[in-house]
Amino acid sequence: MLLSKACEHAVRATIYIGQQSSTEGRVSLKEIAMEIDAPEAFTAKILQQLVKKEIISSIQGPKGGFTMYKKSIRQIKLIDIIHTIDGNAFETKCVLGLKLCSELSPCPVHDQFKHIKKDYLNMLQKTNIQKMILGLEDGVSCLKI
Amino acid sequence: MLLSKACEHAVRATIYIGQQSSTEGRVSLKEIAMEIDAPEAFTAKILQQLVKKEIISSIQGPKGGFTMYKKSIRQIKLIDIIHTIDGNAFETKCVLGLKLCSELSPCPVHDQFKHIKKDYLNMLQKTNIQKMILGLEDGVSCLKI
DNA sequence: AGTTAATCGGATAATTTTATCCGATATCTA
DNA sequence: TAGATATCGGATAAAATTATCCGATTAACT
C-alpha cells in the first residue's frame, strides 16, 4: 500500500479541516472524525502530530477545535502530511529493502522504480490542500464513503 | 511503503532462485536466506506461497531445494509475486481508504494518483524475472547489501 | 530398510501499527 | 470564580505483520 492507515486518515482530516476553514470556521475533533469516518481517539493522535508540525492549528477549551490558515491551504502539500505521519522512507528506502541501493550500486529493480518514484514524488510535492478541496466544493468528490 | 517486508523478501528470493536456476541448479532454503539476507524461517513461509502459486517449484528430501523453470523466468512478472504476497489491494483500494472511489465518484486525490498508479502497474506487469536477473549477472546489482 | 537431509504446515512468539482510555490542561461562558 | 467543554499527552489494549519453532512428510543414499 502507498500510505499507512494513519496517513490516509491524516490526509482526509487535513482536507476536511482545510475545506471547513475556508467556508465555516474551526471544527471539532468529533465532527472531523465523523465526517472522514475515522476512529475519534486515533484521529486525535494524528491531529496532534499535524498540529506539532504546524500543518493545522488547534484551539483548546469550549468552542475550540482545529483550523487551517489560508496560507497553509495554499502552501501545505501532500508530501508534508506524508512526511509528518509516515516519514521519508519512500524517498530514502530501497524498494527491495537493501541497505545500500543507489545509482552506483543499484538493486535489481532500481531503474524500473526510479521513474515511477520520481513522478510520484513530483506529484506529492505539487499537490496542495487547495487543489484537493476543489472537487469537494463542487460535490464531485467525497471524504466519507 | 510500496511493498510489505514479506514481499521484499519474496522478490529478492525469486530473483535469486531464478538466477541460480539458469546457471547452477536447485538451491536450498538455507542458501537463499543467506544470499538475500532474510530470516530463514520467514523466508520458508514466503517460498511456500510462491510454490503454491507455481512461481517457483520445490523438491523435498536431501539434495532438495527450490528451482525455477526457464519458462517461468521469462513469463513470471513482478506483479505476480506482489499478487501472491500482498494481494491486489494496490489496484483495487482507494489511496485514501474510501470504500467507494471510482472515476464517477472519485476521492479528492483520485485524478492525481490515477496516472502514477497506471504507470506503476504497467511497469509491474512488464518486468519479468529475466530482466531483474540481468544486472546481477553483470555484477552491477546485488541482492544482499 | 534405515538414516539423513531437505521442505511442509500448523502453532506460537515478537514487533509494529492501529486504536482506545483517561487524567491533565486550557479556555469560554455564566 | 466556578463549571462546562474542548484538546493534550501518556499509558494501555487490540489487531496485523513479521518472525520462530517443531513435528510431519518426502526423498536420496548407504
Side-chain angles (χ1 to χ4, degrees), chain A residues 22-34:
Chain A
S22 58
T23 56
E24 315 293 318
R26 60 189 69 168
V27 280
S28 71
L29 166 64
K30 194 186 285 284
E31 178 182 337
I32 296 165
M34 173 114 69

Side-chain angles (χ1 to χ4, degrees), chain B residues 106-130:
Chain B
C107 78
V109 296
H110 188 83
D111 286 346
Q112 281 84 357
F113 276 83
K114 192 163 58 177
H115 309 99
I116 308 290
K117 286 175 76 169
K118 193 181 141 214
D119 290 348
Y120 181 32
L121 186 59
N122 206 42
M123 181 273 280
L124 296 179
Q125 287 170 337
K126 277 197 304 196
T127 306
N128 63 6
I129 308 301
Q130 192 158 44

Side-chain angles (χ1 to χ4, degrees), chain A residues 27-85:
Chain A
V27 280
S28 71
L29 166 64
K30 194 186 285 284
E31 178 182 337
I32 296 165
M34 173 114 69
E35 290 299 322
I36 68 171
D37 190 31
E40 201 175 307
F42 191 33
T43 304
K45 287 288 177 227
I46 294 163
L47 294 184
Q48 272 179 35
Q49 296 182 67
L50 296 173
V51 169
K52 201 171 294 174
K53 274 283 192 74
E54 298 186 320
I55 287 172
I56 58 178
S57 67
S58 69
I59 304 100
Q60 285 195 355
K63 301 275 173 185
F66 298 87
T67 188
M68 199 167 182
Y69 299 125
K70 277 195 171 53
K71 193 178 174 188
S72 297
I73 294 176
R74 269 181 287 109
Q75 293 190 338
I76 300 292
K77 309 290 177 8
L78 252 182
I79 191 74
D80 300 314
I81 302 173
I82 294 174
H83 277 160
T84 303
I85 309 297

Side-chain angles (χ1 to χ4, degrees), chain A residues 1-2 8 11-12 37 89 95-100 106 108-109 112-113 116 119-120 131-132 141-143 145, chain B residues 1-2 8 11-12 37 89 95-100 106 108-109 113 116 119-120 127 132 141-143 145:
Chain A
M1 210 49 40
L2 295 176
E8 291 176 8
V11 174
R12 296 209 310 283
D37 190 31
V95 174
L96 295 188
L98 299 188
K99 292 172 198 76
L100 188 70
V109 296
Q112 281 83 358
F113 276 83
I116 308 290
D119 290 348
Y120 181 32
K131 189 161 196 175
M132 296 188 280
S141 61
C142 163
L143 280 173
I145 309 175
Chain B
M1 210 50 41
L2 295 177
E8 291 176 7
V11 174
R12 296 209 310 282
D37 191 32
V95 175
L96 294 188
L98 299 187
K99 293 171 197 78
L100 189 71
V109 296
F113 276 83
I116 308 290
D119 290 348
Y120 181 32
T127 306
M132 294 188 282
S141 62
C142 161
L143 280 173
I145 310 174

Side-chain angles (χ1 to χ4, degrees), chain B residues 39-105:
Chain B
E40 200 174 308
F42 191 32
T43 305
K45 287 287 176 231
I46 292 164
L47 294 184
Q48 273 180 32
Q49 296 183 67
L50 296 173
V51 168
K52 201 171 293 173
K53 275 282 191 74
E54 299 184 319
I55 287 172
I56 57 178
S57 68
S58 69
I59 305 100
Q60 284 195 357
K63 302 274 172 187
F66 298 87
T67 189
M68 199 167 180
Y69 299 125
K70 277 198 171 50
K71 194 178 173 186
S72 296
I73 294 176
R74 269 181 287 110
Q75 291 190 340
I76 300 291
K77 308 289 177 9
L78 251 181
I79 190 75
D80 300 313
I81 302 173
I82 294 173
H83 277 161
T84 302
I85 308 297
D86 286 347
N88 66 349
F90 169 74
E91 290 142 89
T92 56
K93 257 199 66 183
C94 167
V95 175
L96 294 188
L98 299 187
K99 293 171 197 78
L100 189 71
C101 176
S102 64
E103 281 304 296
L104 287 170
S105 175

